[in-house]
Amino acid sequence: MSKKGVSILPFAFIALVVSLSIISWSIYNVYFGSKYQTTVFHHSRIDTVSNEVGKNKKFLKQSCLYSSHYSLFENALGGGIIPERGTGSNTWICNAPMPPDMETTKGCVEKYTKFYTNVYFDNYTIDLPVDISKAPYRTSIHNISRGDVFRGAYDEGNINIILEGAKTTLSSDSIQITDNLDQSEMIGKNRFWYLWRKFYKWAGDNVYGKNICKCTSSCKGCDCADVAAQKALDDLQTRFDEYVTCSKACDCCYGCQGSDCGVEGSADCGAYCEPSECLLWEQRKCVSKCNMKCVDPEKRYPEASNISKLTELFRLNSLQEENTGYSEVMDSYMGDDGKGEEGDGDEGNEKCCPIYKENKLSAVYTFTCTDKKYYVPGGSGPQPLTFQVKAFATYRDKDGCGCQLECPCKHCPQNMGETC
Amino acid sequence: MRKGFAEEILSFSLIIFSVIILTIFFASESVLKGGEVTRSVRGRMLDESANLALQTIYDHRLERFEKTYMELILDAQLQGNNETHVYYGRGSGVVHVKEILNPMMNSYFGKGGWKLVVKNRKGNITYGNQQRDFDYKYISNIPILPPVSEKNIGNVTLHV
């Protein structure tokens, strides 16, 4: 009897086919899969770094907007510039109109826009393991022109801000991306130039100085100065629309009467002088700094750099011309010793001497106008834009307190009131 | 003859069985890979949506107020109105932040599919779905006024 064997060839063949299939598939997945994974991972990292550059740009865009608004806000509070700390706002009237030029204000606004944007840029960080190097902005431009400002083209804002010069480089392992961060943004709903333009024309008309002069010439003091300031305020208020409210505050007022002086021929009664208009009165009791400059941001913020030395100068337009004449009058008056004694001259002569009494008045007022049409960004959220300027008038009028007749012309009367 | 026939049947059965096993194996791999691919694609789509949403928050200005969504959110908190509304002056009026923000974000992620947390000097503000935990988050920095101050940078975290 013979046994028939079972053929194992089909089974071997099946096992071989299945094994080869699985092995081929595994090799294919391992080789191409890892290569694909490397590529995908590399692209993913590039995307991540690119996204960070994009985020940086968005951050700087918002920084530019905020910096521009804040720079305008601070310039408005400073009266068209940002002065040194503690000096208050800029003085736009120093007897004569002295508002800052449009280019001066524009330069100050641009300077601080750039500074603030760079502060934000400097503080920007990334949490990912990416190295970041930065080059700050070098140029800031508020694209406005003098003619357009005075035509009212920027009364509602709509100012194009351009920042140039900044770059950023992000690097991670073998990836490095450098990007230029120049940007141009538009800010609106900001009436800085509207307020500036109205104040500029108001200062040019010098209602304040003229009324203080009238007070000086009419033998009045600080009460009259307040009325004069009110007139100036009323005039200022009429120049704005219904969204702007103006107010005033007296920073300083000082008035007194100076020495008497007589006329030609009245040898008994003081020095020769003539009636005069309002002249400069140089004194130290009530002053305001004129010709203020826009302080450098690095000096304004000493946490960033050293504070510059302060220079206090008191210069008004008419100072150089009037000072000499004033001294001459004073010297000649002081030199008249013994003029008050009786018995000199013609006795029994009923000649009358006109005596002029000098009046002096100095006043500093701060005029503030707040615009409530558009609130601008601030540290405590949106707030009204406030524009603030100072007006300073210091006058003396040699015949400000009129003429008194002394008959007979024997001696000079005693000075009445406070003298200075 | 019956034995040979039985062997052939057995062989064919083994072949068919092997083919079925291989088919199931490769199909399951495809399904699993498909799941991974789906998750990956969904993640990329969420990335794109999040980037677009953040871009809209930073860039898109509301016509009447000329403010971006980001400014609205920050101003609402800084002005002291929590996250509800901001007053921009007599010329612009009041804007209710949620009424502006929520529809925009819902158009990207669906209602309840997002949460936005803004951190600034005064604390945190949260908009959107605060009850749910989200898988992805995207963080971005924001400037805060005043510029020269201790905490002049906050951040925005978008959870989706």
Side-chain angles (χ1 to χ4, degrees), chain A residues 63-73 109 113 142 161 187:
Chain A
S63 301
C64 172
L65 293 171
Y66 273 168
S67 299
S68 304
H69 278 294
Y70 200 73
S71 175
L72 288 168
F73 177 75
V109 170
T113 299
H142 282 230
I161 314 294
I187 63 167

Side-chain angles (χ1 to χ4, degrees), chain A residues 15-237:
Chain A
L16 184 67
V17 168
V18 170
S19 304
L20 279 176
S21 300
I22 292 174
I23 289 168
S24 302
W25 177 84
S26 300
I27 291 173
Y28 175 83
N29 270 308
V30 167
Y31 177 71
F32 284 105
S34 60
K35 188 179 173 185
Y36 179 68
Q37 183 186 24
T38 305
T39 306
V40 167
F41 183 62
H42 185 70
H43 281 295
S44 173
R45 282 165 61 196
I46 291 177
D47 285 345
T48 302
V49 176
S50 295
N51 283 340
E52 288 303 319
V53 173
K55 285 180 188 176
N56 193 6
K57 284 185 172 178
K58 289 184 186 57
F59 173 84
L60 286 173
K61 173 190 165 81
Q62 192 63 46
S63 301
C64 172
L65 293 171
Y66 273 168
S67 299
S68 304
H69 278 294
Y70 200 73
S71 175
L72 288 168
F73 177 75
E74 287 204 314
N75 271 274
L77 270 181
I81 57 163
I82 297 180
E84 292 172 356
R85 289 183 190 273
T87 55
S89 52
N90 194 11
T91 310
W92 283 39
I93 296 172
C94 289
N95 279 9
M98 293 180 65
D101 188 52
M102 177 259 171
E103 291 295 331
T104 303
T105 300
K106 176 174 172 272
C108 196
V109 170
E110 288 170 343
K111 197 187 295 186
Y112 276 83
T113 299
K114 182 181 74 174
F115 175 75
Y116 290 145
T117 309
N118 283 335
V119 167
Y120 281 126
F121 189 24
D122 191 48
N123 289 346
Y124 181 80
T125 55
I126 300 175
D127 288 334
L128 297 174
V130 174
D131 295 325
I132 178 170
S133 62
K134 310 167 198 170
Y137 285 103
R138 290 197 307 269
T139 310
S140 162
I141 299 171
H142 282 230
N143 204 5
I144 59 176
S145 68
R146 181 186 172 85
D148 286 342
V149 167
F150 283 106
R151 269 192 291 275
Y154 307 108
D155 281 2
E156 298 285 304
N158 299 324
I159 302 167
N160 189 27
I161 314 294
I162 300 168
L163 288 169
E164 294 172 337
K167 285 185 185 172
T168 186
T169 300
L170 298 180
S171 52
S172 171
D173 293 335
S174 60
I175 302 168
Q176 183 172 312
I177 297 177
T178 298
D179 207 350
N180 190 317
L181 297 174
D182 293 353
Q183 56 177 317
S184 172
E185 301 298 331
M186 182 72 76
I187 63 167
K189 309 279 188 195
N190 190 309
R191 302 221 293 174
F192 173 86
W193 288 107
Y194 169 71
L195 294 169
W196 184 93
R197 177 167 71 87
K198 295 295 184 183
F199 264 103
Y200 189 90
K201 289 185 181 169
W202 171 81
D205 292 342
N206 199 11
V207 174
Y208 176 79
K210 288 173 186 171
N211 279 287
I212 295 289
C213 174
K214 282 183 190 171
C215 291
T216 311
S217 300
S218 54
C219 199
K220 302 280 175 62
C222 286
D223 289 342
C224 181
D226 199 63
V227 173
Q230 185 62 45
K231 285 182 185 172
L233 176 68
D234 293 340
D235 176 72
L236 179 65
Q237 184 70 72

